[in-house]
Amino acid sequence: MTPLYFLFGDINKNNIYIKRDDLLPISFGGNKARKAVNFFREIEQGGFDCVVTYGSSSSNHCRIVSNMAASRKLPCYIIAPKESSLPTFNSKMMELFDSHFTFVSVNEVHDTIERLLTTLKEEGKKPYFIAGGGHGNLGTQAYVDCYEEIKEYEHEYKIHFDSIFLASGTGTTQAGLICGQLINQDIRKIIGVSIARKNPRGKQVVLDSSYEYLESKGIQISKSLLDNEIIFVDDYIGLGYGMKSQNIDYTINSVLINFGIPMDSTYTAKAYTGMMRYIKENNIKGENILFIHTGGTPLFFDDLMRLENII
Ligand SMILES: *Cc1c(COP(=O)(O)O)cnc(C)c1O
């Protein structure tokens, strides 16, 4: 159970709370850590002896998977897109973990993964494949479980969160929360603030992940009903994935100074900035609002290095 607490009372009498998934106690935490725990449980139970995954050298997902593999002395193979790779704190850590990187262009990713898995099996190994970002039902399950933690908090502290905001990328995290909400038949808004994808694709992926998870649990729901539940906001992406802005830098500064919480420009600070704008633009008043801090602390330090050079 990660810490959840009151952050501040906003104008319009909203109460803002935060759930610190960045404080999960493994490899700097975050949503990728919550998901990876489920994958590594399966790895241990299935007797797999190496791990293959996909993502960039600055990815939170790859850092955590590499770290958890290294701590179990399992070789970790990462297929990474060829473009931009300035060193980051994540990439430096992955060097330390001795992960095996293969850099390929995006259209070669699928075939490269297939070939690597085949080769490893031919060598008598038993590889375990984790989809990029921890996408898939086990990743979704991690945030169904997180939703249950939120329910427990509400029960214990006699509070109801009217809205839950989070940074949404591949949409797995949001899908888990939405499935949790549907399973519990709760009424509230779960608002994914997109950090990259535009609609309709962004929302569609959340829908597909939710549908697939519920189906695997034998829960029947129509896609149009599910469609009504999903709020995937694509208004605050700025110039695209990883692109920063002055407002986002302002958030990084003020959240660190006022609350002692690190946020990064790619995910959490971008989503938090989007949330604040959404609250104003939609004239939200008198609500209890929960922001889920999805992690990415090493990226905060990349931002700090950059901001240091500006100020
Ligand atoms: C990957 C990531 C997200 C997005 O999670 P998805 O499940 O891909 O939507 C949000 N925040 C951080 C810090 C991440 O690393």
Side-chain angles (χ1 to χ4, degrees):
M1 171 96 88
T2 52
L4 193 167
Y5 53 87
F6 176 72
L7 204 56
F8 70 104
D10 185 36
I11 39 167
N12 291 345
K13 299 204 165 55
N14 293 300
N15 294 315
I16 314 280
Y17 289 73
I18 191 164
K19 184 165 173 66
R20 301 285 307 274
D21 262 18
D22 58 319
L23 297 180
L24 278 163
I26 178 111
S27 195
F28 295 92
N31 62 346
K32 304 309 184 306
R34 203 185 262 278
K35 296 178 196 182
V37 167
N38 286 353
F39 292 111
F40 276 87
R41 192 177 301 123
E42 206 165 83
I43 287 169
E44 270 153 33
Q45 286 169 354
F48 294 90
D49 56 13
C50 55
V51 183
V52 178
T53 194
Y54 166 71
S56 76
S57 60
S58 60
S59 141
N60 293 319
H61 165 73
C62 292
R63 178 242 314 154
I64 288 163
V65 169
S66 307
N67 201 163
M68 290 181 75
S71 71
R72 289 162 177 76
K73 307 214 175 348
L74 301 174
C76 181
Y77 300 89
I78 297 172
I79 313 300
K82 217 181 248 162
E83 67 276 3
S84 78
S85 45
L86 288 174
T88 60
F89 285 104
N90 277 336
S91 73
K92 281 173 206 244
M93 275 189 267
M94 282 188 261
E95 276 174 37
L96 214 72
F97 304 143
D98 264 340
S99 313
H100 308 282
F101 271 93
T102 309
F103 293 95
V104 297
S105 57
V106 175
N107 56 8
E108 287 175 297
V109 167
H110 178 81
D111 290 351
T112 310
I113 291 171
E114 290 302 315
R115 237 180 295 125
L116 177 60
L117 289 172
T118 308
T119 310
L120 288 167
K121 283 176 197 160
E122 278 167 7
E123 289 170 0
K125 304 250 173 51
K126 196 176 175 191
Y128 185 90
F129 176 66
I130 305 177
H135 195 63
N137 285 346
L138 278 181
T140 308
Q141 180 66 51
Y143 275 83
V144 174
D145 296 342
C146 176
Y147 189 87
E148 291 300 330
E149 290 183 13
I150 294 167
K151 294 279 292 178
E152 275 175 47
Y153 181 92
E154 289 184 314
H155 184 73
E156 187 172 345
Y157 292 91
K158 312 257 175 302
I159 182 179
H160 173 76
F161 295 116
D162 305 291
S163 306
I164 299 175
F165 285 84
L166 72 151
S168 210
T170 69
T172 318
T173 305
Q174 191 181 353
L177 295 168
I178 285 168
C179 292
Q181 179 189 18
L182 286 166
I183 290 166
N184 285 283
Q185 300 185 319
D186 289 336
I187 295 173
R188 68 173 106 238
K189 287 166 287 176
I190 294 173
I191 300 160
V193 182
S194 177
I195 53 87
R197 285 181 182 160
K198 282 285 196 187
N199 282 324
R201 176 164 178 247
K203 180 174 177 177
Q204 186 63 42
V205 180
V206 179
L207 196 151
D208 292 343
S209 299
S210 309
Y211 190 83
E212 192 187 317
Y213 175 85
L214 293 170
E215 202 179 28
S216 78
K217 295 286 168 196
I219 299 166
Q220 297 292 335
I221 183 168
S222 78
K223 285 206 172 172
S224 65
L225 210 84
L226 201 51
D227 192 73
N228 286 336
E229 292 297 322
I230 300 171
I231 309 173
F232 185 89
V233 181
D234 68 357
D235 300 323
Y236 311 110
I237 300 166
L239 294 175
Y241 178 78
M243 301 302 272
K244 309 142 199 352
S245 72
Q246 247 176 2
N247 288 340
I248 295 171
D249 286 346
Y250 175 80
T251 297
I252 294 174
N253 244 306
S254 66
V255 172
L256 182 68
I257 292 170
N258 293 320
F259 309 119
I261 299 173
M263 287 190 178
D264 77 284
S265 59
T266 301
Y267 295 103
T268 49
K270 184 177 261 188
Y272 187 94
T273 309
M275 172 179 81
M276 291 318 226
R277 282 184 55 191
Y278 186 95
I279 290 171
K280 287 203 190 87
E281 289 166 9
N282 292 276
N283 205 19
I284 292 175
K285 290 194 174 119
E287 286 197 359
N288 290 321
I289 295 169
L290 177 64
F291 180 79
I292 301 183
H293 192 313
T294 42
T297 300
L299 301 182
F300 159 79
F301 286 103
D302 292 332
D303 280 309
L304 195 63
M305 300 288 279
R306 177 178 57 85
L307 291 170
E308 199 177 65
N309 293 332
I310 294 169
I311 295 163

